[in-house]
């Protein structure tokens, strides 16, 4: 489990084909400082497992499902990524509960600079739109953020907005995002559970003799 509080910006140093997936090598000194074989590290919101490591790098396998669902398939040597180690049992939940299981991707639609911050509008796949609410939590490229605005339920195309403070702009890759960039999205796990439970809810029993 993660919290969406990014610890460092890492750099992809190699992407090697491996079966129907790839083997990804990332330079991330903080992440590997106490990592071991089999540990989980989130790369721009995608939970990966350490299989090899060195003094300032680690390697992980990325399966086809992840390449198709997340932006990981577009990574190349030199790409920068957000890095977070799995939360320790005694750690603080500074962001929100993040699993590292990307639901899909969105694209940056608009960037509105402020005096010290930016408001970013991101497209939202229709199937994820019911799971995103104003003032709720969402994970964008692994960063825990609060939704500042959201499109109406009856909108023809869906979007949400996030407001990025100076710390987020400098400590994560989001500060460099421009219109057209794709980003990984993970919705709130609680919202996903509620949606699934609702799908299994029995239909209301009709009142015999009609309504009264």
């Amino acid at each position: 489990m993660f919290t969406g509080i990014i610890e460092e910006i890492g750099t992809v140093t190699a992407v090697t084909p491996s079966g129907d997936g790839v083997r990804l090598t990332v330079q991330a000194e903080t992440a590997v400082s106490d990592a071991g074989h089999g540990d989980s590290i989130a790369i721009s919101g995608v939970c990966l497992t350490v299989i090899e490591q060195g003094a300032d790098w680690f390697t992980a396998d990325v399966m086809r499902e992840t390449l198709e669902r997340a932006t990981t398939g577009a990574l190349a040597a030199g790409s920068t990524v957000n890095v977070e180690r799995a939360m320790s049992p005694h750690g603080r939940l500074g962001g929100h509960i993040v699993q590292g299981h990307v639901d899909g991707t969105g694209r940056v639609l608009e960037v509105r600079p402020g005096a010290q911050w930016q408001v970013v509008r991101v497209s939202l796949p229709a199937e994820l739109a019911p799971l995103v609410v104003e003032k709720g939590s969402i994970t964008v490229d692994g960063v825990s953020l609060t939704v500042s605005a959201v499109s109406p339920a009856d909108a023809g195309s869906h979007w949400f907005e996030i407001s990025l403070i100076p710390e987020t702009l400098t400590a994560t890759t989001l500060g460099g995002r421009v219109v057209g960039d794709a980003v990984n999205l993970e919705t709130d796990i609680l919202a996903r559970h509620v949606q699934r439970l609702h799908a299994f809810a029995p239909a209301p029993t009709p009142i015999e003799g009609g309504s009264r």
Side-chain angles (χ1 to χ4, degrees):
M1 186 181 78
F2 305 90
T3 71
I5 304 300
I6 302 305
E7 297 182 284
E8 65 181 316
I9 296 177
T11 302
V12 175
T13 58
V15 180
T16 307
S18 179
D20 65 349
V22 300
R23 182 158 287 187
L24 190 71
T25 302
V26 179
Q27 184 178 30
E29 184 175 357
T30 299
V32 299
S33 62
D34 62 352
H37 182 86
D39 283 355
S40 295
I41 297 177
I43 297 299
S44 290
V46 178
C47 178
L48 298 177
T49 301
V50 176
I51 57 171
E52 295 178 3
Q53 67 187 96
D56 64 351
W57 60 270
F58 75 95
T59 297
D61 286 322
V62 185
M63 64 177 129
R64 174 57 52 185
E65 160 73 10
T66 303
L67 296 176
E68 293 176 349
R69 186 179 291 267
T71 62
T72 316
L75 293 177
S79 297
T80 54
V81 291
N82 294 321
V83 183
E84 181 190 357
R85 291 170 291 182
M87 181 182 178
S88 59
H90 60 277
R92 296 180 183 274
L93 186 60
H96 71 283
I97 297 174
V98 177
Q99 293 184 295
H101 302 161
V102 171
D103 294 313
T105 61
R107 288 198 177 272
V108 176
L109 300 176
E110 183 182 357
V111 178
R112 301 197 304 273
Q116 292 181 299
W117 61 88
Q118 286 183 355
V119 176
V120 180
R121 178 174 291 192
V122 181
S123 66
L124 188 60
E127 65 273 16
L128 301 184
L131 304 174
V132 180
V133 298
E134 187 176 352
K135 305 307 179 188
S137 296
I138 192 166
T139 308
V140 180
D141 275 351
V143 184
S144 173
L145 296 164
T146 299
V147 177
S148 55
V150 67
S151 57
D154 58 356
S157 57
H158 297 281
W159 52 263
F160 67 94
E161 289 184 350
I162 46 178
S163 299
L164 307 180
I165 62 174
E167 174 65 15
T168 304
L169 293 173
T170 59
T172 78
T173 61
L174 295 182
R177 292 302 184 192
V178 297
V179 172
D181 282 354
V183 292
N184 292 324
L185 305 176
E186 181 185 331
T187 56
D188 191 342
I189 180 60
L190 298 178
R192 298 202 302 273
H193 274 301
V194 170
Q195 184 185 60
R196 182 65 171 168
L197 288 169
H198 180 72
F200 282 93
T205 302
I207 298 175
E208 191 173 337
S211 60
R212 297 180 181 177

